[in-house]
Amino acid sequence: MSHKLFILIYRGDPLDYSEYRHTALYVQFAAQGRSILHIIGTQGLFRYVEYVGTDPMELGDLVRVVPVTDLSGSVEAEEEEIRETVARTPVRNGYMDLEWNCQHWVGDALGRLVERGWVTEVERAEAIDKMTDACLEARDDQFVVT
């Protein structure tokens, strides 16, 4: 059995602009458990949260699920190791981090999984590209003046 890793992309709230699309990591563990791993809040007030056993559809308007990889094969990753690695991804709330958000955090968390050898750099890059594309699909033309 293997663990399956995904990126979740939710419609922006209150407006569906690219920068407001929320992203999170989602892991389906081999032992039938599942977790949504993400940060919530706003610039300067972000904090890490894990929702264990939660259906991704319950958190908001899910617009895309991006498969990242199966954490299997020679990888002997245990659930707690994966959770701890992701949970230790730094949350940037400093004055110089005003443009930083959950989309950046997902990239940083995937980078930590690359460092552990559970995700390849190619898998990370492809997943981030797909996440970025999904975020850029947000409607920037909601207020058309006629």
Side-chain angles (χ1 to χ4, degrees):
M1 287 302 266
S2 63
H3 310 300
K4 297 184 183 304
L5 178 64
F6 304 88
I7 298 174
L8 305 175
I9 299 106
Y10 292 91
R11 187 169 311 281
D13 185 37
L15 300 173
D16 190 28
Y17 293 152
S18 298
E19 64 270 19
Y20 298 144
R21 286 226 162 158
H22 181 64
T23 60
L25 292 179
Y26 177 64
V27 184
Q28 291 177 334
F29 292 107
Q32 306 304 318
R34 60 186 178 186
S35 285
I36 298 171
L37 315 160
H38 64 141
I39 61 168
I40 60 173
T42 189
Q43 284 86 7
L45 300 171
F46 288 117
R47 64 185 175 88
Y48 173 78
V49 175
E50 177 180 359
Y51 295 122
V52 177
T54 302
D55 181 339
M57 299 296 287
E58 294 177 15
L59 289 185
D61 191 359
L62 185 64
V63 295
R64 182 80 47 88
V65 177
V66 175
V68 178
T69 192
D70 288 353
L71 305 170
S72 62
S74 62
V75 177
E76 296 296 327
E78 296 296 325
E79 287 184 34
E80 280 309 308
E81 290 178 289
I82 294 168
R83 284 187 167 107
E84 287 177 17
T85 298
V86 172
R88 290 186 178 142
T89 302
V91 176
R92 295 171 46 185
N93 282 319
Y95 174 73
M96 300 301 291
D97 301 315
L98 296 178
E99 298 297 318
W100 189 88
N101 61 25
C102 60
Q103 297 166 19
H104 297 102
W105 181 87
V106 165
D108 294 347
L110 288 173
R112 293 179 58 82
L113 295 172
V114 168
E115 291 171 4
R116 294 292 304 260
W118 296 329
V119 175
T120 68
E121 187 57 50
V122 170
E123 291 167 332
R124 176 185 183 268
E126 289 175 356
I128 290 173
D129 284 347
K130 290 175 184 174
M131 176 186 76
T132 301
D133 289 346
C135 289
L136 290 173
E137 290 171 0
R139 292 181 41 137
D140 286 336
D141 60 349
Q142 293 180 18
F143 298 104
V144 176
V145 177
T146 57

PDB file of all heavy atoms in Angstrom, residues 9-23 60-64 103 131-143:
ATOM      1  N   ILE A   9      -7.390  22.782  -4.534  1.00  0.00           N
ATOM      2  CA  ILE A   9      -7.534  24.191  -4.868  1.00  0.00           C
ATOM      3  C   ILE A   9      -9.002  24.564  -4.714  1.00  0.00           C
ATOM      4  O   ILE A   9      -9.876  23.936  -5.310  1.00  0.00           O
ATOM      5  CB  ILE A   9      -7.049  24.512  -6.303  1.00  0.00           C
ATOM      6  CG1 ILE A   9      -5.560  24.170  -6.448  1.00  0.00           C
ATOM      7  CG2 ILE A   9      -7.248  25.998  -6.613  1.00  0.00           C
ATOM      8  CD1 ILE A   9      -5.306  22.954  -7.229  1.00  0.00           C
ATOM      9  N   TYR A  10      -9.248  25.596  -3.900  1.00  0.00           N
ATOM     10  CA  TYR A  10     -10.600  26.064  -3.614  1.00  0.00           C
ATOM     11  C   TYR A  10     -10.840  27.434  -4.239  1.00  0.00           C
ATOM     12  O   TYR A  10      -9.920  28.250  -4.316  1.00  0.00           O
ATOM     13  CB  TYR A  10     -10.814  26.173  -2.097  1.00  0.00           C
ATOM     14  CG  TYR A  10     -10.821  24.843  -1.403  1.00  0.00           C
ATOM     15  CD1 TYR A  10      -9.652  24.292  -0.894  1.00  0.00           C
ATOM     16  CD2 TYR A  10     -12.000  24.120  -1.268  1.00  0.00           C
ATOM     17  CE1 TYR A  10      -9.649  23.055  -0.266  1.00  0.00           C
ATOM     18  CE2 TYR A  10     -12.008  22.884  -0.640  1.00  0.00           C
ATOM     19  CZ  TYR A  10     -10.836  22.355  -0.144  1.00  0.00           C
ATOM     20  OH  TYR A  10     -10.841  21.131   0.477  1.00  0.00           O
ATOM     21  N   ARG A  11     -12.086  27.680  -4.628  1.00  0.00           N
ATOM     22  CA  ARG A  11     -12.487  28.969  -5.174  1.00  0.00           C
ATOM     23  C   ARG A  11     -12.199  30.061  -4.152  1.00  0.00           C
ATOM     24  O   ARG A  11     -12.374  29.875  -2.957  1.00  0.00           O
ATOM     25  CB  ARG A  11     -13.979  28.941  -5.502  1.00  0.00           C
ATOM     26  CG  ARG A  11     -14.465  30.175  -6.242  1.00  0.00           C
ATOM     27  CD  ARG A  11     -15.870  30.010  -6.786  1.00  0.00           C
ATOM     28  NE  ARG A  11     -16.074  28.764  -7.521  1.00  0.00           N
ATOM     29  CZ  ARG A  11     -15.687  28.534  -8.782  1.00  0.00           C
ATOM     30  NH1 ARG A  11     -15.032  29.460  -9.441  1.00  0.00           N
ATOM     31  NH2 ARG A  11     -15.931  27.366  -9.350  1.00  0.00           N
ATOM     32  N   GLY A  12     -11.760  31.217  -4.642  1.00  0.00           N
ATOM     33  CA  GLY A  12     -11.448  32.340  -3.773  1.00  0.00           C
ATOM     34  C   GLY A  12     -12.691  32.909  -3.109  1.00  0.00           C
ATOM     35  O   GLY A  12     -13.782  32.876  -3.671  1.00  0.00           O
ATOM     36  N   ASP A  13     -12.499  33.426  -1.902  1.00  0.00           N
ATOM     37  CA  ASP A  13     -13.609  33.985  -1.150  1.00  0.00           C
ATOM     38  C   ASP A  13     -13.123  35.265  -0.468  1.00  0.00           C
ATOM     39  O   ASP A  13     -12.069  35.240   0.168  1.00  0.00           O
ATOM     40  CB  ASP A  13     -14.088  32.973  -0.112  1.00  0.00           C
ATOM     41  CG  ASP A  13     -15.312  33.420   0.643  1.00  0.00           C
ATOM     42  OD1 ASP A  13     -16.179  34.052   0.017  1.00  0.00           O
ATOM     43  OD2 ASP A  13     -15.399  33.146   1.853  1.00  0.00           O
ATOM     44  N   PRO A  14     -13.771  36.379  -0.598  1.00  0.00           N
ATOM     45  CA  PRO A  14     -15.114  36.588  -1.135  1.00  0.00           C
ATOM     46  C   PRO A  14     -15.151  36.708  -2.662  1.00  0.00           C
ATOM     47  O   PRO A  14     -16.198  36.560  -3.268  1.00  0.00           O
ATOM     48  CB  PRO A  14     -15.559  37.900  -0.498  1.00  0.00           C
ATOM     49  CG  PRO A  14     -14.287  38.663  -0.322  1.00  0.00           C
ATOM     50  CD  PRO A  14     -13.239  37.621  -0.011  1.00  0.00           C
ATOM     51  N   LEU A  15     -14.018  37.013  -3.295  1.00  0.00           N
ATOM     52  CA  LEU A  15     -13.957  37.112  -4.754  1.00  0.00           C
ATOM     53  C   LEU A  15     -13.028  36.041  -5.284  1.00  0.00           C
ATOM     54  O   LEU A  15     -11.991  35.757  -4.677  1.00  0.00           O
ATOM     55  CB  LEU A  15     -13.454  38.495  -5.176  1.00  0.00           C
ATOM     56  CG  LEU A  15     -14.291  39.690  -4.732  1.00  0.00           C
ATOM     57  CD1 LEU A  15     -13.587  40.996  -5.062  1.00  0.00           C
ATOM     58  CD2 LEU A  15     -15.668  39.640  -5.379  1.00  0.00           C
ATOM     59  N   ASP A  16     -13.371  35.478  -6.417  1.00  0.00           N
ATOM     60  CA  ASP A  16     -12.558  34.401  -6.978  1.00  0.00           C
ATOM     61  C   ASP A  16     -11.462  34.963  -7.873  1.00  0.00           C
ATOM     62  O   ASP A  16     -11.514  34.848  -9.090  1.00  0.00           O
ATOM     63  CB  ASP A  16     -13.438  33.402  -7.740  1.00  0.00           C
ATOM     64  CG  ASP A  16     -12.661  32.156  -8.131  1.00  0.00           C
ATOM     65  OD1 ASP A  16     -11.685  31.822  -7.409  1.00  0.00           O
ATOM     66  OD2 ASP A  16     -12.998  31.524  -9.142  1.00  0.00           O
ATOM     67  N   TYR A  17     -10.483  35.607  -7.256  1.00  0.00           N
ATOM     68  CA  TYR A  17      -9.292  36.077  -7.945  1.00  0.00           C
ATOM     69  C   TYR A  17      -8.175  35.073  -7.700  1.00  0.00           C
ATOM     70  O   TYR A  17      -8.179  34.360  -6.689  1.00  0.00           O
ATOM     71  CB  TYR A  17      -8.854  37.444  -7.431  1.00  0.00           C
ATOM     72  CG  TYR A  17      -9.807  38.575  -7.751  1.00  0.00           C
ATOM     73  CD1 TYR A  17      -9.872  39.677  -6.919  1.00  0.00           C
ATOM     74  CD2 TYR A  17     -10.616  38.549  -8.883  1.00  0.00           C
ATOM     75  CE1 TYR A  17     -10.727  40.738  -7.203  1.00  0.00           C
ATOM     76  CE2 TYR A  17     -11.475  39.597  -9.171  1.00  0.00           C
ATOM     77  CZ  TYR A  17     -11.522  40.683  -8.326  1.00  0.00           C
ATOM     78  OH  TYR A  17     -12.370  41.720  -8.612  1.00  0.00           O
ATOM     79  N   SER A  18      -7.181  35.061  -8.586  1.00  0.00           N
ATOM     80  CA  SER A  18      -6.080  34.106  -8.487  1.00  0.00           C
ATOM     81  C   SER A  18      -5.422  34.105  -7.112  1.00  0.00           C
ATOM     82  O   SER A  18      -5.177  33.055  -6.528  1.00  0.00           O
ATOM     83  CB  SER A  18      -5.021  34.413  -9.545  1.00  0.00           C
ATOM     84  OG  SER A  18      -5.553  34.284 -10.830  1.00  0.00           O
ATOM     85  N   GLU A  19      -5.153  35.302  -6.593  1.00  0.00           N
ATOM     86  CA  GLU A  19      -4.436  35.390  -5.316  1.00  0.00           C
ATOM     87  C   GLU A  19      -5.287  34.967  -4.123  1.00  0.00           C
ATOM     88  O   GLU A  19      -4.769  34.744  -3.040  1.00  0.00           O
ATOM     89  CB  GLU A  19      -3.868  36.791  -5.099  1.00  0.00           C
ATOM     90  CG  GLU A  19      -4.902  37.878  -4.973  1.00  0.00           C
ATOM     91  CD  GLU A  19      -5.295  38.538  -6.294  1.00  0.00           C
ATOM     92  OE1 GLU A  19      -5.061  37.951  -7.364  1.00  0.00           O
ATOM     93  OE2 GLU A  19      -5.847  39.649  -6.237  1.00  0.00           O
ATOM     94  N   TYR A  20      -6.615  34.857  -4.319  1.00  0.00           N
ATOM     95  CA  TYR A  20      -7.498  34.448  -3.230  1.00  0.00           C
ATOM     96  C   TYR A  20      -7.850  32.966  -3.271  1.00  0.00           C
ATOM     97  O   TYR A  20      -8.555  32.493  -2.377  1.00  0.00           O
ATOM     98  CB  TYR A  20      -8.789  35.263  -3.236  1.00  0.00           C
ATOM     99  CG  TYR A  20      -8.585  36.742  -3.015  1.00  0.00           C
ATOM    100  CD1 TYR A  20      -9.378  37.660  -3.670  1.00  0.00           C
ATOM    101  CD2 TYR A  20      -7.597  37.213  -2.156  1.00  0.00           C
ATOM    102  CE1 TYR A  20      -9.206  39.020  -3.471  1.00  0.00           C
ATOM    103  CE2 TYR A  20      -7.418  38.565  -1.966  1.00  0.00           C
ATOM    104  CZ  TYR A  20      -8.217  39.470  -2.619  1.00  0.00           C
ATOM    105  OH  TYR A  20      -8.045  40.808  -2.417  1.00  0.00           O
ATOM    106  N   ARG A  21      -7.411  32.257  -4.286  1.00  0.00           N
ATOM    107  CA  ARG A  21      -7.689  30.825  -4.326  1.00  0.00           C
ATOM    108  C   ARG A  21      -6.897  30.146  -3.209  1.00  0.00           C
ATOM    109  O   ARG A  21      -5.707  30.375  -3.045  1.00  0.00           O
ATOM    110  CB  ARG A  21      -7.324  30.238  -5.689  1.00  0.00           C
ATOM    111  CG  ARG A  21      -8.349  30.638  -6.741  1.00  0.00           C
ATOM    112  CD  ARG A  21      -8.762  29.494  -7.584  1.00  0.00           C
ATOM    113  NE  ARG A  21     -10.019  29.785  -8.269  1.00  0.00           N
ATOM    114  CZ  ARG A  21     -10.400  29.167  -9.355  1.00  0.00           C
ATOM    115  NH1 ARG A  21      -9.637  28.237  -9.889  1.00  0.00           N
ATOM    116  NH2 ARG A  21     -11.559  29.450  -9.899  1.00  0.00           N
ATOM    117  N   HIS A  22      -7.605  29.333  -2.436  1.00  0.00           N
ATOM    118  CA  HIS A  22      -6.974  28.652  -1.300  1.00  0.00           C
ATOM    119  C   HIS A  22      -6.431  27.301  -1.748  1.00  0.00           C
ATOM    120  O   HIS A  22      -7.089  26.575  -2.475  1.00  0.00           O
ATOM    121  CB  HIS A  22      -7.975  28.456  -0.167  1.00  0.00           C
ATOM    122  CG  HIS A  22      -7.376  27.790   1.028  1.00  0.00           C
ATOM    123  ND1 HIS A  22      -6.373  28.382   1.771  1.00  0.00           N
ATOM    124  CD2 HIS A  22      -7.597  26.579   1.580  1.00  0.00           C
ATOM    125  CE1 HIS A  22      -6.017  27.560   2.741  1.00  0.00           C
ATOM    126  NE2 HIS A  22      -6.744  26.464   2.646  1.00  0.00           N
ATOM    127  N   THR A  23      -5.224  26.978  -1.299  1.00  0.00           N
ATOM    128  CA  THR A  23      -4.608  25.697  -1.622  1.00  0.00           C
ATOM    129  C   THR A  23      -4.227  24.966  -0.344  1.00  0.00           C
ATOM    130  O   THR A  23      -3.948  25.587   0.687  1.00  0.00           O
ATOM    131  CB  THR A  23      -3.364  25.886  -2.510  1.00  0.00           C
ATOM    132  OG1 THR A  23      -2.410  26.700  -1.819  1.00  0.00           O
ATOM    133  CG2 THR A  23      -3.727  26.530  -3.839  1.00  0.00           C
ATOM    134  N   GLY A  60     -15.031  23.952   1.450  1.00  0.00           N
ATOM    135  CA  GLY A  60     -15.324  25.073   0.571  1.00  0.00           C
ATOM    136  C   GLY A  60     -15.653  24.592  -0.819  1.00  0.00           C
ATOM    137  O   GLY A  60     -15.935  23.411  -1.040  1.00  0.00           O
ATOM    138  N   ASP A  61     -15.583  25.511  -1.751  1.00  0.00           N
ATOM    139  CA  ASP A  61     -15.911  25.230  -3.141  1.00  0.00           C
ATOM    140  C   ASP A  61     -14.659  24.706  -3.850  1.00  0.00           C
ATOM    141  O   ASP A  61     -13.868  25.475  -4.390  1.00  0.00           O
ATOM    142  CB  ASP A  61     -16.443  26.502  -3.803  1.00  0.00           C
ATOM    143  CG  ASP A  61     -17.040  26.240  -5.161  1.00  0.00           C
ATOM    144  OD1 ASP A  61     -17.038  25.080  -5.626  1.00  0.00           O
ATOM    145  OD2 ASP A  61     -17.517  27.215  -5.780  1.00  0.00           O
ATOM    146  N   LEU A  62     -14.495  23.401  -3.828  1.00  0.00           N
ATOM    147  CA  LEU A  62     -13.317  22.744  -4.401  1.00  0.00           C
ATOM    148  C   LEU A  62     -13.389  22.814  -5.924  1.00  0.00           C
ATOM    149  O   LEU A  62     -14.351  22.338  -6.519  1.00  0.00           O
ATOM    150  CB  LEU A  62     -13.257  21.295  -3.927  1.00  0.00           C
ATOM    151  CG  LEU A  62     -12.040  20.471  -4.322  1.00  0.00           C
ATOM    152  CD1 LEU A  62     -10.763  21.049  -3.707  1.00  0.00           C
ATOM    153  CD2 LEU A  62     -12.220  19.023  -3.866  1.00  0.00           C
ATOM    154  N   VAL A  63     -12.371  23.421  -6.547  1.00  0.00           N
ATOM    155  CA  VAL A  63     -12.378  23.556  -8.003  1.00  0.00           C
ATOM    156  C   VAL A  63     -11.405  22.615  -8.697  1.00  0.00           C
ATOM    157  O   VAL A  63     -11.569  22.327  -9.881  1.00  0.00           O
ATOM    158  CB  VAL A  63     -12.106  25.011  -8.458  1.00  0.00           C
ATOM    159  CG1 VAL A  63     -13.225  25.923  -8.021  1.00  0.00           C
ATOM    160  CG2 VAL A  63     -10.771  25.509  -7.974  1.00  0.00           C
ATOM    161  N   ARG A  64     -10.400  22.104  -7.987  1.00  0.00           N
ATOM    162  CA  ARG A  64      -9.443  21.211  -8.627  1.00  0.00           C
ATOM    163  C   ARG A  64      -8.724  20.379  -7.579  1.00  0.00           C
ATOM    164  O   ARG A  64      -8.421  20.860  -6.492  1.00  0.00           O
ATOM    165  CB  ARG A  64      -8.414  22.034  -9.400  1.00  0.00           C
ATOM    166  CG  ARG A  64      -7.368  21.284 -10.173  1.00  0.00           C
ATOM    167  CD  ARG A  64      -7.817  20.750 -11.521  1.00  0.00           C
ATOM    168  NE  ARG A  64      -8.537  21.716 -12.327  1.00  0.00           N
ATOM    169  CZ  ARG A  64      -7.978  22.591 -13.167  1.00  0.00           C
ATOM    170  NH1 ARG A  64      -6.673  22.650 -13.294  1.00  0.00           N
ATOM    171  NH2 ARG A  64      -8.729  23.417 -13.866  1.00  0.00           N
ATOM    172  N   GLN A 103      -0.583  29.434  -1.133  1.00  0.00           N
ATOM    173  CA  GLN A 103      -0.024  28.855  -2.348  1.00  0.00           C
ATOM    174  C   GLN A 103       1.492  28.686  -2.212  1.00  0.00           C
ATOM    175  O   GLN A 103       2.050  27.661  -2.610  1.00  0.00           O
ATOM    176  CB  GLN A 103      -0.379  29.726  -3.552  1.00  0.00           C
ATOM    177  CG  GLN A 103      -1.879  29.810  -3.792  1.00  0.00           C
ATOM    178  CD  GLN A 103      -2.281  30.905  -4.751  1.00  0.00           C
ATOM    179  OE1 GLN A 103      -1.459  31.403  -5.528  1.00  0.00           O
ATOM    180  NE2 GLN A 103      -3.546  31.306  -4.703  1.00  0.00           N
ATOM    181  N   MET A 131      -1.081  23.539 -10.034  1.00  0.00           N
ATOM    182  CA  MET A 131      -1.736  24.365  -9.020  1.00  0.00           C
ATOM    183  C   MET A 131      -1.816  25.815  -9.500  1.00  0.00           C
ATOM    184  O   MET A 131      -2.865  26.464  -9.392  1.00  0.00           O
ATOM    185  CB  MET A 131      -0.967  24.295  -7.698  1.00  0.00           C
ATOM    186  CG  MET A 131      -1.516  25.207  -6.612  1.00  0.00           C
ATOM    187  SD  MET A 131      -0.507  25.238  -5.109  1.00  0.00           S
ATOM    188  CE  MET A 131       0.872  26.256  -5.625  1.00  0.00           C
ATOM    189  N   THR A 132      -0.717  26.317 -10.045  1.00  0.00           N
ATOM    190  CA  THR A 132      -0.679  27.687 -10.543  1.00  0.00           C
ATOM    191  C   THR A 132      -1.688  27.886 -11.665  1.00  0.00           C
ATOM    192  O   THR A 132      -2.418  28.889 -11.686  1.00  0.00           O
ATOM    193  CB  THR A 132       0.746  28.047 -11.017  1.00  0.00           C
ATOM    194  OG1 THR A 132       1.645  27.884  -9.911  1.00  0.00           O
ATOM    195  CG2 THR A 132       0.824  29.469 -11.531  1.00  0.00           C
ATOM    196  N   ASP A 133      -1.752  26.932 -12.598  1.00  0.00           N
ATOM    197  CA  ASP A 133      -2.729  27.021 -13.686  1.00  0.00           C
ATOM    198  C   ASP A 133      -4.148  27.086 -13.143  1.00  0.00           C
ATOM    199  O   ASP A 133      -4.972  27.881 -13.607  1.00  0.00           O
ATOM    200  CB  ASP A 133      -2.594  25.833 -14.639  1.00  0.00           C
ATOM    201  CG  ASP A 133      -1.331  25.888 -15.494  1.00  0.00           C
ATOM    202  OD1 ASP A 133      -0.694  26.958 -15.559  1.00  0.00           O
ATOM    203  OD2 ASP A 133      -0.985  24.850 -16.094  1.00  0.00           O
ATOM    204  N   ALA A 134      -4.454  26.246 -12.145  1.00  0.00           N
ATOM    205  CA  ALA A 134      -5.799  26.236 -11.555  1.00  0.00           C
ATOM    206  C   ALA A 134      -6.095  27.563 -10.856  1.00  0.00           C
ATOM    207  O   ALA A 134      -7.222  28.055 -10.912  1.00  0.00           O
ATOM    208  CB  ALA A 134      -5.947  25.070 -10.581  1.00  0.00           C
ATOM    209  N   CYS A 135      -5.102  28.140 -10.230  1.00  0.00           N
ATOM    210  CA  CYS A 135      -5.307  29.440  -9.572  1.00  0.00           C
ATOM    211  C   CYS A 135      -5.512  30.547 -10.609  1.00  0.00           C
ATOM    212  O   CYS A 135      -6.336  31.438 -10.416  1.00  0.00           O
ATOM    213  CB  CYS A 135      -4.129  29.775  -8.664  1.00  0.00           C
ATOM    214  SG  CYS A 135      -4.059  28.748  -7.178  1.00  0.00           S
ATOM    215  N   LEU A 136      -4.801  30.456 -11.716  1.00  0.00           N
ATOM    216  CA  LEU A 136      -4.924  31.480 -12.755  1.00  0.00           C
ATOM    217  C   LEU A 136      -6.241  31.389 -13.517  1.00  0.00           C
ATOM    218  O   LEU A 136      -6.605  32.324 -14.224  1.00  0.00           O
ATOM    219  CB  LEU A 136      -3.739  31.395 -13.722  1.00  0.00           C
ATOM    220  CG  LEU A 136      -2.400  31.819 -13.138  1.00  0.00           C
ATOM    221  CD1 LEU A 136      -1.268  31.542 -14.124  1.00  0.00           C
ATOM    222  CD2 LEU A 136      -2.419  33.280 -12.720  1.00  0.00           C
ATOM    223  N   GLU A 137      -6.951  30.289 -13.366  1.00  0.00           N
ATOM    224  CA  GLU A 137      -8.263  30.151 -14.007  1.00  0.00           C
ATOM    225  C   GLU A 137      -9.348  30.952 -13.291  1.00  0.00           C
ATOM    226  O   GLU A 137     -10.472  31.043 -13.783  1.00  0.00           O
ATOM    227  CB  GLU A 137      -8.678  28.680 -14.049  1.00  0.00           C
ATOM    228  CG  GLU A 137      -7.866  27.853 -15.014  1.00  0.00           C
ATOM    229  CD  GLU A 137      -8.149  26.370 -14.894  1.00  0.00           C
ATOM    230  OE1 GLU A 137      -8.989  25.969 -14.056  1.00  0.00           O
ATOM    231  OE2 GLU A 137      -7.518  25.608 -15.641  1.00  0.00           O
ATOM    232  N   ALA A 138      -9.008  31.522 -12.149  1.00  0.00           N
ATOM    233  CA  ALA A 138      -9.983  32.328 -11.407  1.00  0.00           C
ATOM    234  C   ALA A 138     -10.468  33.462 -12.285  1.00  0.00           C
ATOM    235  O   ALA A 138      -9.712  34.015 -13.089  1.00  0.00           O
ATOM    236  CB  ALA A 138      -9.351  32.879 -10.128  1.00  0.00           C
ATOM    237  N   ARG A 139     -11.693  33.800 -12.106  1.00  0.00           N
ATOM    238  CA  ARG A 139     -12.294  34.872 -12.923  1.00  0.00           C
ATOM    239  C   ARG A 139     -11.817  36.230 -12.450  1.00  0.00           C
ATOM    240  O   ARG A 139     -12.165  36.666 -11.369  1.00  0.00           O
ATOM    241  CB  ARG A 139     -13.802  34.805 -12.836  1.00  0.00           C
ATOM    242  CG  ARG A 139     -14.380  33.590 -13.489  1.00  0.00           C
ATOM    243  CD  ARG A 139     -15.856  33.623 -13.370  1.00  0.00           C
ATOM    244  NE  ARG A 139     -16.329  34.983 -13.605  1.00  0.00           N
ATOM    245  CZ  ARG A 139     -17.381  35.292 -14.329  1.00  0.00           C
ATOM    246  NH1 ARG A 139     -18.079  34.353 -14.865  1.00  0.00           N
ATOM    247  NH2 ARG A 139     -17.753  36.547 -14.495  1.00  0.00           N
ATOM    248  N   ASP A 140     -11.041  36.899 -13.286  1.00  0.00           N
ATOM    249  CA  ASP A 140     -10.598  38.249 -12.974  1.00  0.00           C
ATOM    250  C   ASP A 140     -11.507  39.288 -13.602  1.00  0.00           C
ATOM    251  O   ASP A 140     -11.294  40.478 -13.465  1.00  0.00           O
ATOM    252  CB  ASP A 140      -9.166  38.474 -13.471  1.00  0.00           C
ATOM    253  CG  ASP A 140      -8.154  37.760 -12.597  1.00  0.00           C
ATOM    254  OD1 ASP A 140      -8.471  37.494 -11.432  1.00  0.00           O
ATOM    255  OD2 ASP A 140      -7.054  37.469 -13.085  1.00  0.00           O
ATOM    256  N   ASP A 141     -12.540  38.836 -14.303  1.00  0.00           N
ATOM    257  CA  ASP A 141     -13.415  39.757 -15.006  1.00  0.00           C
ATOM    258  C   ASP A 141     -14.831  39.765 -14.409  1.00  0.00           C
ATOM    259  O   ASP A 141     -15.812  39.937 -15.118  1.00  0.00           O
ATOM    260  CB  ASP A 141     -13.485  39.391 -16.481  1.00  0.00           C
ATOM    261  CG  ASP A 141     -14.029  37.996 -16.717  1.00  0.00           C
ATOM    262  OD1 ASP A 141     -14.152  37.233 -15.734  1.00  0.00           O
ATOM    263  OD2 ASP A 141     -14.342  37.667 -17.871  1.00  0.00           O
ATOM    264  N   GLN A 142     -14.939  39.617 -13.103  1.00  0.00           N
ATOM    265  CA  GLN A 142     -16.247  39.520 -12.468  1.00  0.00           C
ATOM    266  C   GLN A 142     -17.029  40.824 -12.504  1.00  0.00           C
ATOM    267  O   GLN A 142     -18.232  40.830 -12.458  1.00  0.00           O
ATOM    268  CB  GLN A 142     -16.098  39.062 -11.015  1.00  0.00           C
ATOM    269  CG  GLN A 142     -15.606  37.653 -10.928  1.00  0.00           C
ATOM    270  CD  GLN A 142     -15.458  37.219  -9.490  1.00  0.00           C
ATOM    271  OE1 GLN A 142     -16.017  37.822  -8.585  1.00  0.00           O
ATOM    272  NE2 GLN A 142     -14.714  36.159  -9.267  1.00  0.00           N
ATOM    273  N   PHE A 143     -16.335  41.922 -12.597  1.00  0.00           N
ATOM    274  CA  PHE A 143     -17.001  43.215 -12.566  1.00  0.00           C
ATOM    275  C   PHE A 143     -16.789  43.928 -13.892  1.00  0.00           C
ATOM    276  O   PHE A 143     -15.978  44.835 -14.003  1.00  0.00           O
ATOM    277  CB  PHE A 143     -16.479  44.068 -11.404  1.00  0.00           C
ATOM    278  CG  PHE A 143     -16.750  43.430 -10.068  1.00  0.00           C
ATOM    279  CD1 PHE A 143     -15.729  42.798  -9.364  1.00  0.00           C
ATOM    280  CD2 PHE A 143     -18.030  43.436  -9.532  1.00  0.00           C
ATOM    281  CE1 PHE A 143     -15.980  42.201  -8.146  1.00  0.00           C
ATOM    282  CE2 PHE A 143     -18.269  42.829  -8.309  1.00  0.00           C
ATOM    283  CZ  PHE A 143     -17.259  42.227  -7.622  1.00  0.00           C
TER     284      PHE A 143
END
